[in-house]
Amino acid sequence: MSHHPQITPRSAPELTPSVEELEAQERRLIFRRFTCDDAWTLGSLLVELARERQAPVAIDIHRAGQQLFHAALPGATPDNDAWIARKRRVVERYGASSYLVGARCRAKGTTFEESSRLDPEVYAAHGGSFPINIADVGVVGAVTVSGLPQLQDHRLVVEALEQFLGD
């Protein structure tokens, strides 16, 4: 695998975020609405950020059980799509980012696989899927990236959401 020096967002430290920091991201990154056009705009922004970094990722946006956006960049594989589905199911089930769900388990000294008792072929609490949370409505979908180490997948999604929401 080739070295990708610009994969991580430029402003993000390499420290692992705490559960509290992850929860604060989710409180901050709330939508007022989320349309099909919003999915296209957000997905296109993610593609642009990933291309800048030559990140070999697949990108997916789902809302209410419908895929609104999907892209596979050079280097992404069908395995990334399987990871996307597993991470997205965690967001749909828990209403929180896949990275936060895993971090909460680690903070309790266990793993998601041990504590959830869910099939790991169906659910993966690995970073990269973030809830589409609409104010006064709740979680209606997920934005997911797969192809980088899990913290980098998570950070790429958060960076795009921050830009999209003007945060």
Side-chain angles (χ1 to χ4, degrees):
M1 186 170 153
S2 62
H3 179 64
H4 301 287
Q6 287 294 322
I7 287 175
T8 54
R10 287 168 229 109
S11 61
E14 278 304 307
L15 300 173
T16 302
S18 67
V19 168
E20 294 75 23
E21 290 170 301
L22 295 167
E23 289 171 343
Q25 285 175 346
E26 295 196 17
R27 285 191 300 273
R28 198 175 76 245
L29 298 172
I30 304 288
F31 293 83
R32 286 190 246 4
R33 63 185 177 90
F34 195 78
T35 67
C36 292
D37 287 339
D38 292 329
W40 179 261
T41 302
L42 177 57
S44 298
L45 174 59
L46 271 162
V47 167
E48 181 182 319
L49 292 172
R51 282 192 191 282
E52 286 174 6
R53 296 171 177 120
Q54 299 177 348
V57 298
I59 299 162
D60 179 88
I61 300 176
H62 264 69
R63 183 193 64 194
Q66 181 182 19
Q67 184 178 53
L68 300 181
F69 185 92
H70 184 84
L73 277 65
T77 68
D79 195 47
N80 296 124
D81 293 331
W83 275 98
I84 282 171
R86 293 167 59 217
K87 292 191 273 188
R88 185 184 72 245
R89 286 186 198 107
V90 167
V91 172
E92 292 167 349
R93 185 174 184 119
Y94 292 90
S97 75
S98 54
Y99 193 76
L100 174 57
V101 172
R104 285 176 173 156
C105 294
R106 289 187 295 277
K108 293 175 184 169
T110 185
T111 66
F112 173 76
E113 294 76 15
E114 290 172 8
S115 63
S116 72
R117 302 170 72 182
L118 295 170
D119 184 347
E121 295 298 316
V122 179
Y123 295 91
H126 292 257
S129 191
F130 201 94
I132 297 169
N133 191 351
I134 300 177
D136 301 321
V137 174
V139 176
V140 299
V143 180
T144 312
V145 168
S146 175
L148 303 171
Q150 66 169 334
L151 181 54
Q152 292 178 19
D153 278 348
H154 175 81
R155 285 186 170 146
L156 184 59
V157 173
V158 168
E159 181 182 352
L161 289 170
E162 288 171 345
Q163 285 187 35
F164 181 84
L165 293 168
D167 192 46

